[in-house]
Amino acid sequence: MDVIRTKAALRARVAQWQAAGEAVALTPTMGAVHEGHLSLVRLGLERADRCVATIFVNPRQFGPNEDFTTYPRDEEGDLAKFRSAGCDAVYIPDPGQMYGTDYKTEVTVTDISDVMEGASRPGFFTGVATVVSKLLIQSLPDIAIFGEKDFQQLAVIRTMARDLDLPTEILGAPTVREADGLALSSRNAYLTPREREIAPSLHRAMIAAAESVRTGAAPHVAAEQAKRDVLAAGFQQVAYIDIRSQDTFAPAEALSENLRIFAAATLGSCRLIDNIAV
């Protein structure tokens, strides 16, 4: 497995594979690798001949009071996990490779970035769209794979790639969960043992809300009940629990096709996000 630290070396390696007729998949991550990330690598190797993972804790997607400095980092452990999954290369740029000293450009996707995570974390999706566009341009892979746990982020990236005519197919991969339903996330490491017991309550409340809508409840009523359930379970704050169209992100008024329930809530020092189809 190659460990690559410059964009020139990354582009040369991917171009070498493509010149030999091999398709290349890219799986961007911020490290703190878990089974969810490894599932992206395995999907990449199913859909392409080569898979490149990236590790970059992107400062531009963290707000001033968020956890950039404390975000879990374990380069040696991450490399071992990617190697075990069959990854062909891992790209680990430093901030200077990604953003030069006179860097001035941002990529913003309007409309679908303005709700839920975008409203809760101003600037977050601009940071995501900027770094992902740069990773795609630096590597020019045939496909890039992102987890559906961050479903709104996936939609933003798909829109960005389409609108900028980037020659990469954007694929979504199913959310990977613990046996009790908790969606895998690097930030789950922040949970205390007691909080870890409470955490699956978010997923259970979402399942109950989805079932309620399917059996006739108004989406806003089901979402409000889910918020009450999550707070009653021990979460300190609910940023949002919304039922929306997964195509347009417009709020749902009644049961229809392609509805999805989205949630973000705080438990201790950990902010959990999740989504499921209705």
Side-chain angles (χ1 to χ4, degrees):
M1 186 181 74
D2 297 334
V3 178
I4 300 172
R5 298 189 186 271
T6 69
K7 53 197 172 189
L10 172 67
R11 185 171 288 173
R13 194 71 176 101
V14 172
Q16 181 184 39
W17 285 326
Q18 290 171 331
E22 296 179 307
V24 177
L26 186 75
T27 59
T29 83
M30 291 205 302
V33 173
H34 52 67
E35 179 58 30
H37 297 122
L38 301 181
S39 74
L40 306 184
V41 171
R42 287 191 285 270
L43 179 57
L45 291 170
E46 289 175 11
R47 297 292 299 268
D49 303 291
R50 302 283 186 172
C51 185
V52 179
T54 74
I55 300 173
F56 181 65
V57 183
N58 176 33
R60 290 175 175 255
Q61 69 190 67
F62 288 80
N65 298 313
E66 294 185 348
D67 58 340
F68 175 70
T69 58
T70 59
Y71 193 84
R73 293 165 169 84
D74 178 15
E75 181 178 306
E76 184 177 343
D78 291 345
L79 289 173
K81 291 173 185 176
F82 280 135
R83 188 176 290 109
S84 71
C87 217
D88 294 282
V90 179
Y91 176 47
I92 313 176
D94 63 31
Q97 279 291 314
M98 194 60 65
Y99 306 112
T101 55
D102 200 31
Y103 191 86
K104 291 183 172 64
T105 301
E106 292 184 329
V107 178
T108 298
V109 178
T110 59
D111 189 26
I112 62 172
S113 292
D114 297 336
V115 299
M116 297 188 297
E117 283 298 278
S120 296
R121 304 177 67 189
F124 169 69
F125 282 127
T126 293
V128 168
T130 299
V131 76
V132 172
S133 66
K134 288 178 66 63
L135 288 169
L136 295 178
I137 292 166
Q138 287 173 2
S139 58
L140 296 176
D142 298 281
I143 62 175
I145 304 173
F146 300 84
E148 290 185 351
K149 184 182 82 71
D150 301 293
F151 194 92
Q152 187 180 8
Q153 173 177 283
L154 173 61
V156 167
I157 291 167
R158 279 179 166 148
T159 302
M160 176 272 295
R162 180 200 69 196
D163 290 353
L164 296 183
D165 302 316
L166 299 180
T168 300
E169 180 185 3
I170 306 298
L171 296 181
T175 301
V176 178
R177 299 183 182 276
E178 301 281 8
D180 58 10
L182 178 64
L184 295 189
S185 169
S186 299
R187 287 186 170 98
N188 290 352
Y190 298 154
L191 296 169
T192 67
R194 175 57 183 150
E195 290 163 355
R196 177 61 186 81
E197 293 176 2
I198 296 170
S201 302
L202 178 63
H203 185 236
R204 289 196 292 269
M206 295 167 65
I207 291 173
E211 179 61 24
S212 182
V213 172
R214 287 194 296 269
T215 56
H220 74 275
V221 172
E224 287 301 319
Q225 181 60 53
K227 292 176 187 177
R228 290 192 291 270
D229 292 345
V230 168
L231 292 171
F235 280 74
Q236 284 77 44
Q237 184 180 11
V238 174
Y240 58 83
I241 295 182
D242 288 357
I243 300 177
R244 294 174 177 263
S245 163
Q246 69 176 33
D247 301 318
T248 66
F249 293 93
E253 301 296 333
L255 179 63
S256 62
E257 292 185 357
N258 296 332
L259 294 188
R260 190 166 284 266
I261 181 166
F262 300 88
T266 301
L267 180 59
S269 62
C270 186
R271 186 176 186 275
L272 300 177
I273 69 169
D274 203 347
N275 69 89
I276 60 171
V278 172

